[in-house]
Amino acid sequence: MSFSKKIWKRILLLTALVIVVLLFWMRYIQRQKFIYPLRYTEYVEWSAEEYDLEPALIYAVIRSESSFNEAARSSSGALGLMQIMPDTFEWLQGSEEKNYSSEDLFQPEINIRYGCRYLSMMFRRYGILRTALCAYNAGPGTVDGWLSDPGLSPDGKNLTQIPYPETRNYVNSVERDYKKYKELYKI
C-alpha cells in the first residue's frame, strides 16, 4: 500500500472516530436536557426578570420541588410546581385586589410568580443563596433560629450546618441542579 493510501486510510478512520464521538456527545447532551428540561419558559423568564432571579435557579427549584409536576402535592401540604404552602401563598398575596385560592397554586403561571416572589424575598433577606434556599424550604423563622446558633452559624449569616436532613438534601439538590442548568443551557 502506498504512503498516500495509508494517510488517507488514517484520515478516514480518524474522521469516522470523530463522528462517532460527536454522535455520542450529542446523545449525552440530549439525554441531559431530557433530565433537566426547560418548561414553562414564558413564566420563568417573566418571573426571573420581575424578581431579579436567574432562570437557571428557578428551573432548579422547580425540578427539585416538583419535578415539573404542576399537580404536585407534598405530605406537608405544599402545592404546585414550586411547592408553596397555602398559608405562605395567602401571606404573599397580602392586600392585593385579587385574591387567589390555594387551588390556584396548581396553575403554573400563578405558582411560578408567587414562588419566585417568595424566593426573591428570602434572597434579599439573607443575601446568601444557600441560606435563602434553607429559608424557602424550612421557613425563615426556622432559619433565623439556626443563624442565632453559633454551632450552626459562627457569623450569624452563613450556615455551616443544616440540622434538618430534608432541608440539607433539598439545598444540595437545588445547588447541583442550578449548576447543571447553567452548564447545559448557558442561562
Side-chain angles (χ1 to χ4, degrees):
M1 191 181 301
S2 73
F3 180 71
S4 64
K5 283 185 180 180
K6 285 182 183 178
I7 290 176
W8 278 111
K9 205 174 189 180
R10 287 183 180 166
I11 290 172
L12 287 174
L13 185 61
L14 184 60
T15 303
L17 181 62
V18 167
I19 290 171
V20 167
V21 167
L22 284 174
L23 288 173
F24 276 110
W25 180 250
M26 287 170 48
R27 279 193 72 177
Y28 169 77
I29 294 298
Q30 286 175 332
R31 194 172 329 120
Q32 291 297 302
K33 288 184 176 183
F34 178 76
I35 295 168
Y36 296 91
L38 297 181
R39 296 190 186 141
Y40 313 104
T41 54
E42 179 183 345
Y43 308 134
V44 168
E45 288 174 13
W46 182 89
S47 294
E49 188 172 323
E50 179 72 15
Y51 297 110
D52 197 27
L53 298 169
E54 291 181 66
L57 177 61
I58 299 169
Y59 287 119
V61 169
I62 293 171
R63 184 176 186 279
S64 294
E65 288 285 2
S66 68
S67 298
F68 291 89
N69 176 4
E70 61 191 59
R73 201 182 281 263
S74 77
S75 59
S76 64
L79 305 173
L81 292 168
M82 295 185 76
Q83 291 290 279
I84 302 169
M85 294 296 289
D87 290 348
T88 302
F89 182 51
E90 190 175 315
W91 174 77
L92 286 168
Q93 291 181 73
S95 61
E96 290 181 358
E97 281 185 32
K98 179 170 180 157
N99 280 320
Y100 297 103
S101 74
S102 60
E103 288 300 308
D104 291 319
L105 284 170
F106 295 116
Q107 295 180 36
E109 178 181 9
I110 292 169
N111 192 285
I112 292 170
R113 181 174 10 140
Y114 283 92
C116 288
R117 179 183 289 178
Y118 187 57
L119 181 58
S120 176
M121 291 169 74
M122 295 302 100
F123 189 71
R124 283 194 315 272
R125 179 173 177 165
Y126 296 103
I128 297 167
L129 180 59
R130 190 166 178 83
T131 307
L133 290 171
C134 285
Y136 186 90
N137 180 265
T142 301
V143 170
D144 289 344
W146 293 347
L147 290 172
S148 67
D149 180 342
L152 302 176
S153 176
D155 64 1
K157 294 178 185 177
N158 288 298
L159 289 167
T160 55
Q161 295 181 47
I162 301 172
Y164 292 0
E166 177 190 331
T167 300
R168 184 174 47 251
N169 293 337
Y170 168 77
V171 169
N172 291 337
S173 172
V174 171
E175 288 179 332
R176 179 194 66 236
D177 292 353
Y178 177 43
K179 287 177 187 170
K180 196 66 169 180
Y181 272 102
K182 287 174 76 167
E183 171 190 314
L184 281 172
Y185 297 104
K186 310 298 183 223
I187 55 175

